[in-house]
């Protein structure tokens, strides 16, 4: 099957979050399936262009029209991808290559990614890649199914399109003038994109795609409710017949405690007791915490954003530190209020709390490996990847039972049995604190039980093989319509 995967970011080339991780592993997993030919198209951001690790060759140069705009589009092929996935970069200095700074956040983001969406279709046409299936992601490529129907049916008469929602919070809103000025789509598409007297490209994709998926089964159900859907519950309920959840995997080669180059010691499911103890001691030293092997080390690697459940931790952290013998280590950057809170907490409890307000992938690995308990109380979570990273490294998760956290971390009892981690159902600080304490007590009072749970976590299959098969089943379904 010929599969085109379109996205605004993909590791290792450019990544701002979980979408980037998925775009690293999913195309590779699809390519491993016999008979598949996978093409990944990404914007040629400045930091990719300038990175000598990613040599490219110029395949062709075309012009992409967007309303009255005529924009240059260079097509660059990555020359050193080894797994068989074809990677093409869309080159345009005005929108991508000439800008430094973060991937998103420019005032003209709507226009930048409208250009990218159109360019993806033009690029496939130019290089003669006629996909059976297009898989596109989040608001940045949401215009692809709309433009495919409006303009590219001659070029791609049988191509089906799957649209995947990684986070419904960001929908790609623009004002109504965007329709004529930037898109200049035929008039009949106005209603497809219009919502509340504005343009909403995610709504357009949900209505236009052949199938809509999201990144866990629970989140697919939650998306029908106003509490989770950020205004799209009605649209998504209407699309329920074509909405499915496929829980993400993680890249188990990248996240592997037996080989991870960032770790001072390596281990697997049989040797984790000694291995993790070594990493924990080194980690405590690295972050300035006392080296106490038997004090439970609670860790978190996260964007410091509200929906990650940090308000629960802020509310209960002092009580937890006063009532339990434990250490807390947080790595991440984000909203100032949380950066300030954890910095302050570290000053109050210098022997108990370490707050690393930075982005550091190596330290992240050491935290997944050196921690005992991984906290992830997200208010909502489409899938979440770090709880799986933590389990793969033998660190027991404590999660709010929502979205992908519910699907990947079934709750265990106080003896650590019957599940993979500690969960709480309703989003409040008391229930969170209770779940954390159950984890700490198992660690303190029944170390054998805690180790059995760590072992169970480590032997789970979080690889992309099964999710990739589920994507294939849905691709087949679309093609057989
Ligand atoms: C988004 C979601 C996260 C998910 C990731 C990859 O970042 O917030 O829950 O794991 O996308 O699908």
């Amino acid at each position: 099957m010929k599969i085109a995967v379109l996205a605004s970011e993909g590791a290792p080339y450019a990544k701002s979050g979980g979408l980037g991780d998925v775009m690293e592993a999913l195309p590779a997993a699809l390519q491993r399936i016999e008979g598949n030919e996978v093409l990944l198209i990404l914007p040629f951001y400045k930091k990719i262009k300038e990175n000598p690790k990613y040599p490219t060759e110029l395949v062709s140069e075309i012009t992409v029209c967007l309303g009255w705009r005529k924009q240059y589009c260079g097509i660059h092929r990555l020359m050193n991808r080894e797994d068989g996935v074809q990677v093409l970069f869309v080159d345009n200095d005005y929108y991508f290559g000439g800008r430094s700074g973060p991937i998103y956040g420019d005032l003209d983001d709507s226009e930048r990614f409208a250009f990218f969406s159109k360019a993806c279709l033009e690029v496939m046409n130019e290089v003669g890649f006629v996909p059976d299936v297009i898989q596109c992601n989040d608001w940045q490529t949401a215009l692809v199914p709309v433009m495919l129907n409006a303009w590219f049916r001659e070029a791609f008469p049988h191509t089906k399109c799957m649209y995947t929602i990684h986070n419904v919070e960001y929908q790609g809103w623009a004002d109504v003038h965007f329709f004529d000025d930037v898109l200049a789509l035929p008039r009949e598409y106005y209603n497809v994109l219009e919502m509340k007297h504005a343009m909403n490209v995610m709504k357009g994709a949900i209505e236009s795609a052949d199938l809509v998926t999201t990144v866990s089964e629970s989140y697919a159900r939650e998306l029908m409710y106003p509490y989770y859907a950020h205004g799209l519950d009605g649209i998504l309920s209407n699309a329920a017949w074509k909405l499915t959840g496929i829980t993400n995997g993680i890249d188990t080669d990248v996240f592997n405690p037996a080989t991870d180059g960032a770790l001072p010691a390596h281990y697997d499911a049989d040797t984790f007791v000694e291995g993790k103890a070594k990493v924990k001691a080194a980690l405590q030293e690295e972050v300035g915490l006392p080296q106490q092997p038997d004090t439970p080390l609670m860790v978190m690697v996260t964007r410091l954003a509200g929906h990650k459940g940090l308000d629960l931790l802020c509310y209960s952290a002092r009580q937890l530190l006063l009532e339990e013998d434990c250490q807390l280590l947080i790595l991440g950057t984000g909203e100032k209020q949380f950066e300030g809170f954890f910095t302050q907490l570290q000053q109050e409890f210098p022997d108990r709390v370490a707050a690393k307000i930075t982005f550091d992938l190596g330290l992240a690995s050491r935290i997944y490996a050196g921690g005992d308990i991984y906290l992830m109380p997200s208010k909502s979570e489409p899938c979440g990847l770090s709880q799986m990273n933590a389990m793969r490294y033998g660190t027991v998760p404590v999660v709010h039972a929502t979205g992908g956290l519910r699907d990947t971390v079934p709750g265990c009892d106080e003896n650590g049995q019957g599940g993979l981690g500690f969960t709480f159902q309703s989003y409040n600080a008391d229930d969170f604190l209770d779940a954390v304490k159950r984890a700490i007590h198992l660690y303190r009072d029944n170390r054998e039980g805690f180790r059995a749970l760590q072992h169970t976590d480590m032997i789970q299959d979080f690889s992309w093989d099964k999710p990739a098969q589920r994507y294939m089943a849905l691709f087949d379904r679309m093609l057989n319509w």
Side-chain angles (χ1 to χ4, degrees):
M1 192 183 296
K2 282 187 151 188
I3 304 162
V5 179
L6 314 179
S8 54
E9 59 178 274
Y13 319 111
K15 162 178 154 176
S16 82
L19 173 63
D21 290 312
V22 172
M23 289 302 119
E24 178 170 32
L26 174 60
L30 292 171
Q31 179 70 38
R32 282 196 294 273
I33 296 170
E34 214 184 303
N36 282 350
E37 194 184 323
V38 180
L39 168 66
L40 171 66
I41 308 185
L42 299 168
F44 211 11
Y45 296 111
K46 184 173 183 149
K47 64 175 211 176
I48 308 179
K49 251 180 129 159
E50 290 177 349
N51 192 334
K53 281 200 294 197
Y54 308 129
T56 61
E57 63 179 356
L58 181 65
V59 178
S60 182
E61 294 174 298
I62 56 175
T63 299
V64 172
C65 300
L66 207 59
W68 50 268
R69 296 163 190 78
K70 291 192 180 5
Q71 283 287 348
Y72 169 84
C73 171
I75 307 172
H76 290 252
R77 185 189 307 279
L78 181 68
M79 299 206 313
N80 61 352
R81 179 100 180 193
E82 280 168 2
D83 60 3
V85 175
Q86 285 187 66
V87 183
L88 293 179
F89 295 114
V90 166
D91 183 29
N92 175 293
D93 276 350
Y94 173 66
Y95 290 126
F96 302 116
R99 301 189 190 201
S100 326
I103 301 182
Y104 316 118
D106 287 352
L107 285 175
D108 61 347
D109 274 4
S110 301
E111 182 182 321
R112 295 169 70 212
F113 291 102
F115 165 78
F116 177 66
S117 300
K118 180 121 186 247
C120 285
L121 292 158
E122 298 279 16
V123 164
M124 289 190 281
N125 198 19
E126 173 71 12
V127 303
F129 188 93
V130 180
D132 297 303
V133 168
I134 294 175
Q135 190 275 333
C136 54
N137 300 279
D138 270 353
W139 74 266
Q140 295 90 341
T141 47
L143 284 163
V144 168
V146 184
M147 292 173 166
L148 173 67
N149 288 340
W151 290 320
F152 289 86
R153 277 306 173 196
E154 239 169 77
F156 308 127
H158 306 297
T159 298
K160 301 288 183 187
C161 189
M162 172 191 283
Y163 177 63
T164 301
I165 300 172
H166 296 258
N167 194 338
V168 82
E169 221 176 312
Y170 309 103
Q171 300 173 2
W173 288 93
D175 75 33
V176 283
H177 303 298
F178 185 71
F179 186 82
D180 287 321
D181 179 33
V182 177
L183 303 178
L185 280 159
R187 203 67 212 161
E188 64 261 34
Y189 291 91
Y190 186 85
N191 287 341
V192 175
L193 292 166
E194 193 273 340
M195 187 168 156
K196 296 185 183 155
H197 310 295
M199 294 289 110
N200 182 318
V201 298
M202 185 176 269
K203 176 202 174 236
I206 294 165
E207 296 199 348
S208 306
D210 295 290
L211 280 180
V212 179
T213 66
T214 185
V215 289
S216 70
E217 284 155 52
S218 290
Y219 194 62
R221 285 192 296 276
E222 289 168 354
L223 281 176
M224 313 279 170
Y225 295 93
Y227 181 83
Y228 292 99
H230 292 265
L232 284 178
D233 40 296
I235 305 291
L236 284 158
S237 302
N238 284 338
W241 62 275
K242 59 174 176 179
L243 173 63
T244 317
I246 302 179
T247 303
N248 289 329
I250 55 171
D251 192 324
T252 45
D253 294 330
V254 172
F255 292 101
N256 182 354
T259 55
D260 188 332
L263 302 186
H266 294 108
Y267 60 90
D268 60 23
D270 297 323
T271 57
F272 73 90
V273 175
E274 307 78 47
K276 276 181 78 75
K278 283 187 198 145
V279 183
K280 179 173 175 179
L283 177 64
Q284 285 168 323
E285 173 158 32
E286 178 178 359
V287 300
L289 289 170
Q291 282 180 329
Q292 295 167 343
D294 290 319
T295 300
L297 174 58
M298 300 181 300
V299 296
M300 222 171 159
V301 178
T302 183
R303 266 184 304 122
L304 298 177
H307 76 264
K308 292 292 177 187
L310 296 160
D311 48 350
L312 300 190
L313 184 59
C314 292
Y315 189 84
S316 44
R318 288 189 178 86
Q319 186 183 348
L320 183 61
L321 289 161
L322 293 171
E323 291 178 0
E324 301 288 343
D325 175 29
C326 58
Q327 296 177 338
L328 175 65
L329 164 57
I330 291 207
L331 170 67
T333 60
E335 291 172 27
K336 292 286 165 274
Q337 50 163 331
F338 298 123
E339 294 188 351
F341 176 87
F342 291 111
T343 309
Q344 162 80 26
L345 197 68
Q346 171 176 282
Q347 281 160 9
E348 269 172 57
F349 298 88
D351 288 345
R352 314 277 303 283
V353 176
K356 297 290 158 198
I357 308 300
T358 173
F359 181 84
D360 181 338
L361 289 175
L363 179 56
S365 274
R366 291 188 286 283
I367 292 178
Y368 290 128
D372 299 300
I373 296 168
Y374 191 83
L375 306 182
M376 196 156 174
S378 309
K379 192 168 192 179
S380 66
E381 194 61 76
C383 178
L385 302 170
S386 51
Q387 79 280 12
M388 290 187 267
N389 297 343
M391 288 188 275
R392 173 122 172 101
Y393 284 64
T395 300
V396 172
V398 175
V399 305
H400 177 213
T402 186
L405 296 175
R406 174 192 290 277
D407 296 346
T408 55
V409 188
C412 63
D413 65 16
E414 67 273 25
N415 300 314
Q417 282 168 2
L420 299 177
F422 294 88
T423 63
F424 60 102
Q425 300 293 326
S426 68
Y427 187 76
N428 69 69
D430 289 328
D431 287 6
F432 168 60
L433 190 60
D434 185 68
V436 177
K437 286 189 169 208
R438 275 184 279 137
I440 291 177
H441 294 169
L442 182 65
Y443 179 94
R444 193 190 59 203
D445 301 336
N446 177 1
R447 193 67 61 86
E448 277 319 301
F450 191 86
R451 286 181 181 151
L453 178 57
Q454 288 176 295
H455 184 262
T456 309
D457 286 349
M458 285 193 75
I459 59 174
Q460 298 304 307
D461 177 9
F462 292 118
S463 78
W464 268 98
D465 296 337
K466 277 186 215 151
Q469 291 296 349
R470 295 204 54 210
Y471 275 90
M472 288 307 294
L474 291 184
F475 293 163
D476 279 329
R477 173 138 53 108
M478 292 195 293
L479 291 176
N480 291 325
W481 273 344

